[in-house]
């Protein structure tokens, strides 16, 4: 049985791994194939800083909160394993800053040590009157994607460097299930007006004295439109851009200035930091993640498509929960095709 | 006496910060720093520079608290300024963990560091052998950057810094009016202080940039302190051991102990081993003295014996020493005006 996964960002690779881990031994004929036009280090996941943190408000989407928790708990469990360094996984603490009082976030009990900031701490951030401190995780795409790729390759998953233009292209010819993990470009495979780019731009600097993430919030201008500073293992990411509907992947001088000025105001010592790179990417934004099955008629064949896209600016944060959910959908498909007596995997 | 000449002996964190305080409180003083070693070869360069106080048994707690508060406030302001990276001062968060609950529920400094609170159950799961802990955010002074920054500030005030081995404080009496003794472990020989003893510390400085959190075992023996470029892994507390040579068995032991708290350290690179002798004393000696020989007097201000807590209290003791220098200056002016009569 052949399964085609379209997309090799964190969603595509982790979904492939979940399915491989859960079903390969039960279904020896299972052959997974990953198709993508971009592989690490050129995917959206590679550009992201890699901080595990959902948006401040979950808009009542409990399912996504559960997937976030599943991801955090899974990663926390990997923290002491020898693979952690190779995965780009490590603990990090930091600050979320607000200019007004806000409700505690849905993830306050998922992260470690969540608390409000003390007045002394707020002295560090003039202009901000409230905030949170917590310990979370970093999962750097530049390390995590190669790690996933190695695991998949070791287990016989095949990779194809190809821009897939339609589901027909990969289905048929023995491919029974297609996983659509194409992120921003899902609209090319099947129109989805709800999927829109949330353009971001970041500046990469050398500032190794910064040991905390600092994320500011301006509730009027919306998520990520306020400066943020996220230290990584090789460089520190400065950001604060979210432009809904902007498809440009070119770095903008205006955005550069906005990021630089606002981050230096937040942390004056950044003025001395050396700039080592700049990047623009498109967050595949959607009111909610599309994670569902669809049967697609292609000629006289029927293909099962599992959609797993629209993770906006929280792909790394939510990826494992979604991968497990995609694997459950896959299990249901196998059951229907009478490939399996009962779906495997832990009873959740 | 228009411009008293002050010699500060010692160029570790105590000597340099004391010299700087003197230039601040006594602008008319001409300050010179004399030391046989400068950064990166001082005891301070071996230390991680974490602001977590060491308790001195014979110094009143309120005085230790004041020293720590002053030091923390001073460095907090620098960490928040454009100079933070040059000065090597940065905030770092983490945990102090205990296998059995500590005697004191709240250390005297809990209100001075940031966000001090008990660790949650979820956080303690990371340390299965430990049952209790504190989480907080404090400051770290990275060396050499901090010492080099102090040297730069001193030079900007016109302070001269000379490499010179001072064998006897008295040899300075012709060139200087007041001598400040910040010689750390050197005071054992220099002023014959038998209450001063070394507590040998061996540390590893490694490349592990994914370690962002500090971890310190409450017994003070095992610690992981992430700095700007390197993580300091420790350590040992060997009372009375004068050896400055790294010990291979100790290196292995420190590495193993730290890896058991933070397994990802197995992937650490570029391991550098360093040894320092903590200049330890039951109480820090911040004190005036007047040496006299054949009718000639030499005022001396001592500021040494900070043991494991040099960075934590350096600014506080430096200010106190600078006040004592002022007192020496006033006394000299008084006696010189008497001499004129």
């Amino acid at each position: 049985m052949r399964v085609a996964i379209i997309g090799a960002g964190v969603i595509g690779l982790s979904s492939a791994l979940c399915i491989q881990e859960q079903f390969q031994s039960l279904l020896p004929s299972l052959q997974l194939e990953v198709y993508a036009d971009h592989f690490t280090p050129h995917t959206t996941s590679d550009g992201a800083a890699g901080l595990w943190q959902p948006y401040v408000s979950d808009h009542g989407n409990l399912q996504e909160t559960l997937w976030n928790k599943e991801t955090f708990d899974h990663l926390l469990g990997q923290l002491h394993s020898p693979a952690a360094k190779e995965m780009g996984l490590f603990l990090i603490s930091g600050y979320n800053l607000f200019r007004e009082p806000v409700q505690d976030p849905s993830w306050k009990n998922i992260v470690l040590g969540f608390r409000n900031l003390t007045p002394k701490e707020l002295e560090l951030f003039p202009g901000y009157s409230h905030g949170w401190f917590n310990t979370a995780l970093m999962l750097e795409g530049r390390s995590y994607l190669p790690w996933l790729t190695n695991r998949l390759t070791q287990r016989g998953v095949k990779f194809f460097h190809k821009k897939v233009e339609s589901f027909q292209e990969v289905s048929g010819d023995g491919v029974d299930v297609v996983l659509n993990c194409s992120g921003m470009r899902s609209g090319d495979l099947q129109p989805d007006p709800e999927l829109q780019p949330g353009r971001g731009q970041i500046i990469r600097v050398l500032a190794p004295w910064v040991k905390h993430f600092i994320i500011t919030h301006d509730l009027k201008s919306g998520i990520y439109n306020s400066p943020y500073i996220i230290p990584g293992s090789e460089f520190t990411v400065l950001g604060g851009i979210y432009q809904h509907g902007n498809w440009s992947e070119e770095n903008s001088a205006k955005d550069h200035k906005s990021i630089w000025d606002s981050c230096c105001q937040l942390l004056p010592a950044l003025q001395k930091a050396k700039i080592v790179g700049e990047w623009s990417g498109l967050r595949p934004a959607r009111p909610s993640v599309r994670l569902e099955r669809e049967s697609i008629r292609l000629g006289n064949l029927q293909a099962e498509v599992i959609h797993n896209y629209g993770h906006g600016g929280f792909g790394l944060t939510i990826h494992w929960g979604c991968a497990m959910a995609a694997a459950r959908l896959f299990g249901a498909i196998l059951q229907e095709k009478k490939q399996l007596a009962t779906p495997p995997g832990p009873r959740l | 006496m228009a411009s008293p000449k002050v010699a500060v002996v010692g160029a570790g964190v105590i000597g340099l910060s004391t010299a700087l305080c003197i230039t601040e409180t006594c602008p008319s003083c001409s300050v010179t720093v004399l030391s046989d070693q400068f950064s990166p070869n001082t005891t301070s360069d071996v230390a991680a520079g974490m602001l977590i106080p060491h308790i001195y048994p014979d110094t009143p707690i309120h005085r230790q608290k004041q020293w720590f508060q002053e030091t923390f406030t001073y460095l907090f302001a620098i960490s928040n300024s454009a100079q933070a990276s040059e000065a090597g001062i940065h905030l770092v968060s983490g945990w102090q963990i205990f296998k059995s609950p500590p005697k004191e529920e709240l250390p005297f400094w809990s209100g001075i560091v940031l966000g001090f609170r008990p660790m949650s159950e979820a956080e303690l799961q990371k340390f299965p052998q430990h049952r209790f802990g504190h989480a907080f955010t404090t400051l770290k002074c990275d060396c050499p950057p901090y010492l080099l920054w102090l040297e730069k500030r001193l030079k900007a005030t016109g302070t001269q810094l000379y490499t010179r081995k001072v064998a006897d404080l008295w040899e300075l009496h012709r060139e200087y009016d007041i001598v400040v003794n910040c010689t750390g472990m050197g005071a054992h020989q220099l002023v014959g202080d038998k209450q001063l003893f070394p507590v040998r510390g061996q540390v590893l400085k490694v490349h592990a940039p994914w370690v962002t959190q500090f971890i310190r075992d409450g017994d003070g023996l095992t610690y992981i302190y992430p700095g700007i470029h390197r993580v300091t892994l420790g350590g040992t507390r060997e009372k009375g051991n004068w050896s400055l040579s790294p010990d291979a068995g100790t290196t292995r032991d420190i590495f193993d102990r730290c890896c058991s708290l933070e397994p990802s350290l197995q992937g650490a690179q570029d391991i550098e081993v360093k040894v320092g002798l903590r200049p330890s004393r039951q109480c820090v000696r911040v004190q005036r003295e007047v040496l006299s020989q054949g009718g000639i007097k030499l005022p001396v201000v001592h500021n040494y014996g900070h043991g494991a807590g040099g960075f934590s209290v350096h600014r506080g003791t430096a200010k106190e020493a600078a006040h004592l220098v002022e007192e020496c200056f006033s006394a000299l002016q008084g006696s010189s005006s008497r001499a004129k009569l």
Side-chain angles (χ1 to χ4, degrees), chain B residues 294-305:
Chain B
I296 304 172
K297 293 192 193 305
L298 178 63
V300 174
V301 172
H302 297 285
N303 187 10
Y304 67 86

Side-chain angles (χ1 to χ4, degrees), chain A residues 121-185:
Chain A
E121 288 172 310
L122 285 165
E123 276 178 39
L124 288 164
F125 310 111
Y128 294 95
S129 58
H130 292 79
W132 308 323
F133 181 94
N134 65 266
T135 302
L137 292 165
M138 284 286 285
L139 182 64
E140 296 183 313
R142 289 179 328 279
S143 297
Y144 188 48
L145 265 55
W147 182 81
L148 287 168
T149 307
N150 286 341
R151 303 277 293 230
L152 291 166
T153 308
Q154 277 165 25
R155 288 143 190 243
V157 174
K158 295 196 174 10
F159 289 82
F160 299 92
H161 195 159
K162 181 177 184 182
K163 181 167 168 64
V164 174
E165 308 279 10
S166 68
F167 292 126
Q168 280 92 309
E169 219 181 289
V170 290
S171 64
D173 195 29
V175 169
D176 302 86
V177 182
V178 177
L179 260 88
N180 176 18
C181 306
S182 49
M184 197 64 251
R185 258 77 53 69

Side-chain angles (χ1 to χ4, degrees), chain A residues 68-91:
Chain A
N68 289 332
K69 175 174 164 56
E70 215 178 319
T71 307
F72 191 89
D73 291 345
H74 168 78
L75 293 173
L76 198 62
Q78 302 274 305
L79 203 55
H80 280 198
S81 81
K85 185 197 168 194
E86 210 192 316
M87 287 166 74
L89 176 65
F90 52 93
L91 283 172

Side-chain angles (χ1 to χ4, degrees), chain B residues 97-102 128-133 217-219 222 260-261:
Chain B
I97 53 180
F98 302 87
K99 287 186 169 144
S100 49
Q129 296 188 352
H130 293 75
R131 289 168 37 226
F132 186 78
D217 192 310
D219 67 10
T222 307
S260 77
L261 292 184

Side-chain angles (χ1 to χ4, degrees), chain A residues 30 59 121 135 163 213 251 265 286 296 317 324 342:
Chain A
L30 185 64
H59 298 117
E121 288 172 310
T135 302
K163 181 167 168 64
F213 61 81
N251 293 320
Q265 191 179 40
R286 209 172 177 275
I296 291 188
T317 298
M324 294 290 275
T342 48

Side-chain angles (χ1 to χ4, degrees), chain A residues 101-322:
Chain A
V102 285
Q103 249 192 342
D104 287 348
S106 63
W107 41 270
K108 70 182 255 210
N109 292 321
I110 302 174
V111 295
L112 302 175
F114 181 94
R115 61 171 174 83
N116 285 316
L117 292 182
T118 64
K120 195 76 200 289
E121 288 172 310
L122 285 165
E123 276 178 39
L124 288 164
F125 310 111
Y128 294 95
S129 58
H130 292 79
W132 308 323
F133 181 94
N134 65 266
T135 302
L137 292 165
M138 284 286 285
L139 182 64
E140 296 183 313
R142 289 179 328 279
S143 297
Y144 188 48
L145 265 55
W147 182 81
L148 287 168
T149 307
N150 286 341
R151 303 277 293 230
L152 291 166
T153 308
Q154 277 165 25
R155 288 143 190 243
V157 174
K158 295 196 174 10
F159 289 82
F160 299 92
H161 195 159
K162 181 177 184 182
K163 181 167 168 64
V164 174
E165 308 279 10
S166 68
F167 292 126
Q168 280 92 309
E169 219 181 289
V170 290
S171 64
D173 195 29
V175 169
D176 302 86
V177 182
V178 177
L179 260 88
N180 176 18
C181 306
S182 49
M184 197 64 251
R185 258 77 53 69
S186 292
D188 294 349
L189 293 169
Q190 187 187 87
D192 182 351
E194 293 195 293
L195 179 69
Q196 292 288 320
R199 181 183 174 279
Q201 183 167 322
I202 54 154
I203 305 173
R204 298 180 178 129
V205 302
L206 293 181
W209 65 90
V210 179
K211 302 291 181 192
H212 297 87
F213 61 81
I214 303 171
I215 319 236
T216 69
H217 300 267
D218 182 342
L219 300 179
K220 287 178 219 62
S221 30
I223 192 82
Y224 299 134
N225 260 328
S226 192
Y228 61 80
I229 298 165
I230 301 174
S233 63
E234 286 175 82
F235 46 71
T236 297
V237 170
L238 310 183
I241 300 289
Y242 188 106
Q243 293 153 349
H244 199 76
N246 186 346
W247 284 91
S248 169
E249 288 177 87
E250 300 289 311
N251 293 320
S252 136
K254 180 163 175 252
D255 291 339
H256 173 100
K257 184 168 177 3
S258 163
I259 297 166
W260 184 257
D261 289 348
S262 60
C263 286
C264 285
Q265 191 179 40
L266 194 51
L267 263 193
L270 283 175
Q271 292 162 50
K272 306 266 173 75
K274 183 178 169 203
I275 296 176
V276 293
E278 191 136 9
W279 179 79
S280 296
L282 307 178
R283 300 175 184 88
R286 209 172 177 275
S288 64
V289 173
R290 185 176 185 200
L291 182 36
E292 61 188 2
R293 279 173 61 180
E294 188 182 3
S295 297
I296 291 188
R297 189 115 242 143
L298 302 162
N300 53 354
L301 287 170
Q302 184 156 295
E304 294 299 316
V305 178
I306 298 173
H307 296 284
N308 187 4
Y309 69 85
H311 305 81
F314 49 91
L316 287 153
T317 298
I318 204 172
H319 82 278
W320 192 254
C322 290

